[in-house]
Amino acid sequence: MATRNDELSPWILHFDTGSCNGCDIEIWSLLTPRYDIERFGMINKGNPKHADILLVTGPVTKKCATRLKTLYDMMPDPKLVVACGDCASTGAPFVGCYNVCGGVDSVIPVDVYVPGCACRPEVLIDGVVMALQKWNEKRTMEEVKA
Amino acid sequence: MTKTTLIPVGPQHPVFLEPLNISLKLKEETVVGAEINYGFNHRGLEKAMAADFRRTIYMCERICGICSFYHSTAYCQSMESLFKVEVPERARFIRLVMMECQRLTSHTLALGHTAEAMGYESLFMQLFREREALMRLVNDISGNRVHYSINTIGGVRRDIPMEKQKEMLSVLDGLETRFAKLAKVFKDDRTIKERTIGKGVLTKEMAKKYCVVGPVARASGIPEDIRTSYCRDLDFQPIVRDEGDSYARSMVRVDETFQSIQLIRKALTMLPEGPLEVPVKGNPSGEAFIRLEAPRGEVIYYVKAKGTVDLERIKVKTPAFVNVAALSAMVPGCEMPDIPVITVSVDPCICCTER
């Protein structure tokens, strides 16, 4: 997909807050030749200070909640959060477990919810492309404000 | 006299897929000690799994996305021994085939991860391309890419029909030839050898002391493999190496990949005709203990039932739990840049470990 001049390439950061690894390996599939998310200009980065889109997998465990908040605060504006999979979206099937806070939205605001257990790479691509559009909208709004 | 520096690695780190924290003690560039902190991924699954034995099949697959089928198989086997039912032979073989398929996806993931940790981006991409063929194959058979969900207490829910078997064999043939080329890189590449040979050595004595299992144990010269008991009819011999370093661990995985392909071929030719499942009625009671060889080592399920839908106790012991702990014996004496490669060569699976 050719990007327009006013669209930039967001860098993504992946964080696992207690998932079963199912969605994580699907995110890895996303980076590899078959699905190849790089054609949308996205690249996986380990540093929150470089990242624009945060991909979160898994229900948020109590120990991870503070870390997730810290990571989110470290990211520069405009930033977006994509909750990958059912657990990250709602906390299911771990709702009621003694060490689980719930979905990602119980800790930080979420922009895009991607369903599925584990979420398929096709749906994930749909989710991050939606996030890309939202991110560009946010960027333009901030520029207008400034 | 140099000062000891403490460097935290994780819980969020580009090399780790999962939240794991290792506090490294460094003297200049050399690691002198490591402390591993667990608990980021603990969800309290053992309690949730004991709530209803019928839903546990769903829940136990969510312990780990990489070896989900092993968890559901181990759970179903322990339930079958509680209900005192014998699984049909065809179901047993289908389970075996799917388990080996999952071992293939897991080992290619582990090898790809190792390649990526060493900076071999192209090798990582190529391994994942091969892995994608496998993922599509299991998707064709089970309907799911990650959690197969074809196990049920008393058998399996999906058959592998004749045309799927043929497709499977042709995919595996292609995979074997392409994978042989990639395995050659792992075996002979000079940089890979220099980054892995002699790094993160776990001697046989230390391996026994830390009770390591799976490829980590087999790379340290311990011929432990539960498959020798349940793959008896397939003429199975475990792959063992003596070096105990990162290279040996990777090579055990490389060889096991080919071995798994052979096992699937043999199992498919021996696939007996018959029903897929036997009906199971009532509530379980009694105790069961099951061992299985997952990609990372032996997984143990202990179930105690009390005659109602909820279980008294379900205890899971996963391979990564002991293997990750052995890291603290591997890293002393290594240099800081080797830490990611050594960690990945153990194939840590935090979601299994912490549940």
Side-chain angles (χ1 to χ4, degrees), chain B residues 64-121:
Chain B
C64 178
I66 305 175
C67 45
S68 60
F69 195 73
Y70 291 87
H71 285 281
S72 69
T73 308
Y75 173 72
C76 288
Q77 284 188 357
S78 47
M79 274 296 147
E80 281 144 15
S81 81
L82 288 185
F83 281 114
K84 298 185 179 59
V85 290
E86 193 72 31
V87 181
E89 274 295 287
R90 191 175 176 87
R92 196 171 74 86
F93 269 85
I94 290 175
R95 276 182 185 171
L96 207 142
V97 168
M98 292 313 278
M99 280 200 277
E100 291 309 316
C101 281
Q102 197 152 49
R103 190 185 310 277
L104 281 173
T105 60
S106 174
H107 278 356
T108 39
L109 173 86
L111 291 170
H113 202 169
T114 316
E116 214 247 354
M118 284 188 288
Y120 273 64
E121 199 72 22

Side-chain angles (χ1 to χ4, degrees), chain B residues 37-267:
Chain B
N37 298 322
Y38 293 109
F40 294 97
N41 214 331
H42 178 64
R43 292 153 280 174
L45 258 173
E46 279 179 11
K47 190 166 190 296
M49 276 158 71
D52 185 341
F53 81 90
R54 293 160 300 187
R55 288 186 199 162
T56 306
I57 308 172
Y58 180 88
M59 287 303 273
C60 69
E61 284 208 318
R62 269 77 190 166
I63 288 180
C64 178
I66 305 175
C67 45
S68 60
F69 195 73
Y70 291 87
H71 285 281
S72 69
T73 308
Y75 173 72
C76 288
Q77 284 188 357
S78 47
M79 274 296 147
E80 281 144 15
S81 81
L82 288 185
F83 281 114
K84 298 185 179 59
V85 290
E86 193 72 31
V87 181
E89 274 295 287
R90 191 175 176 87
R92 196 171 74 86
F93 269 85
I94 290 175
R95 276 182 185 171
L96 207 142
V97 168
M98 292 313 278
M99 280 200 277
E100 291 309 316
C101 281
Q102 197 152 49
R103 190 185 310 277
L104 281 173
T105 60
S106 174
H107 278 356
T108 39
L109 173 86
L111 291 170
H113 202 169
T114 316
E116 214 247 354
M118 284 188 288
Y120 273 64
E121 199 72 22
S122 168
L123 184 59
F124 160 69
M125 291 288 181
Q126 289 184 54
L127 276 162
F128 263 66
R129 192 185 55 207
E130 306 314 333
R131 186 172 180 274
E132 206 53 47
L134 274 166
M135 295 291 266
R136 293 174 82 79
L137 183 72
V138 292
N139 189 21
D140 265 5
I141 293 166
S142 70
N144 291 301
R145 284 167 58 93
V146 176
H147 304 299
Y148 303 163
S149 307
I150 63 168
N151 260 327
T152 181
I153 299 171
V156 289
R157 299 191 297 149
R158 287 238 188 174
D159 194 12
I160 308 179
M162 205 55 195
E163 59 270 28
K164 282 273 157 63
Q165 290 177 31
K166 277 186 192 139
E167 194 192 318
M168 211 169 176
L169 288 172
S170 73
V171 169
L172 288 176
D173 285 342
L175 197 80
E176 200 176 24
T177 42
R178 288 195 306 271
F179 198 78
K181 283 181 194 157
L182 299 177
K184 206 165 168 287
V185 180
F186 261 103
K187 221 170 245 170
D188 301 331
D189 189 86
R190 194 178 142 216
T191 320
I192 289 187
K193 274 182 167 174
E194 285 192 5
R195 288 213 64 181
T196 51
I197 289 181
K199 302 284 161 63
V201 178
L202 188 73
T203 56
K204 197 171 178 178
E205 290 70 45
M206 285 309 262
K208 278 186 178 156
K209 205 173 156 195
Y210 275 86
C211 306
V212 291
V213 288
V216 181
R218 292 195 282 278
S220 292
I222 302 172
E224 276 285 322
D225 197 319
I226 318 287
R227 281 182 288 172
T228 36
S229 63
Y230 69 78
C231 292
R232 239 175 293 119
D233 29 5
L234 296 179
D235 173 34
F236 173 84
Q237 286 298 325
I239 288 161
V240 186
R241 287 180 87 96
D242 301 321
E243 302 98 311
D245 53 7
S246 300
Y247 182 75
R249 287 190 280 277
S250 289
M251 287 325 293
V252 166
R253 286 196 190 96
V254 167
D255 292 343
E256 277 187 6
T257 318
F258 295 111
Q259 192 185 33
S260 282
I261 295 176
Q262 291 299 339
L263 279 178
I264 295 173
R265 280 206 192 109
K266 271 186 208 162

Side-chain angles (χ1 to χ4, degrees), chain A residues 62-81:
Chain A
K62 284 184 179 159
K63 196 168 177 180
C64 263
T66 48
R67 272 85 177 178
L68 178 63
K69 187 82 181 65
T70 318
L71 273 181
Y72 180 75
D73 291 341
M74 274 181 181
M75 284 169 62
D77 280 321
K79 54 192 164 191
L80 269 172
V81 180

Side-chain angles (χ1 to χ4, degrees), chain A:
Chain A
M1 190 181 94
T3 43
R4 290 205 317 273
N5 279 343
D6 58 333
E7 281 178 354
L8 292 181
S9 305
W11 285 4
I12 57 176
L13 173 75
H14 160 234
F15 188 51
D16 173 351
T17 54
S19 98
C20 72
N21 246 345
C23 300
D24 303 74
I25 52 175
E26 294 299 58
I27 288 179
W28 272 43
S29 305
L30 211 62
L31 308 168
T32 47
R34 171 124 210 134
Y35 296 101
D36 193 21
I37 203 184
E38 246 181 271
R39 65 204 150 111
F40 302 108
M42 293 177 210
I43 189 165
N44 190 26
K45 280 285 154 189
N47 192 338
K49 294 191 174 157
H50 294 166
D52 303 299
I53 298 180
L54 176 63
L55 299 183
V56 192
T57 54
V60 183
T61 59
K62 284 184 179 159
K63 196 168 177 180
C64 263
T66 48
R67 272 85 177 178
L68 178 63
K69 187 82 181 65
T70 318
L71 273 181
Y72 180 75
D73 291 341
M74 274 181 181
M75 284 169 62
D77 280 321
K79 54 192 164 191
L80 269 172
V81 180
V82 182
C84 308
D86 284 347
C87 311
S89 302
T90 63
F94 302 109
V95 172
C97 285
Y98 59 82
N99 205 31
V100 172
C101 301
V104 175
D105 51 7
S106 59
V107 183
I108 53 171
V110 176
D111 299 275
V112 180
Y113 296 90
V114 180
C117 182
C119 49
R120 281 169 182 266
E122 294 90 345
V123 193
L124 263 173
I125 291 177
D126 222 19
V128 286
V129 168
M130 203 185 276
L132 183 72
Q133 286 161 359
K134 280 197 167 189
W135 184 69
N136 277 313
E137 276 166 29
K138 267 195 184 180
R139 254 187 64 239
T140 346
M141 269 165 66
E142 288 210 352
E143 272 167 19
V144 169
K145 258 191 245 165

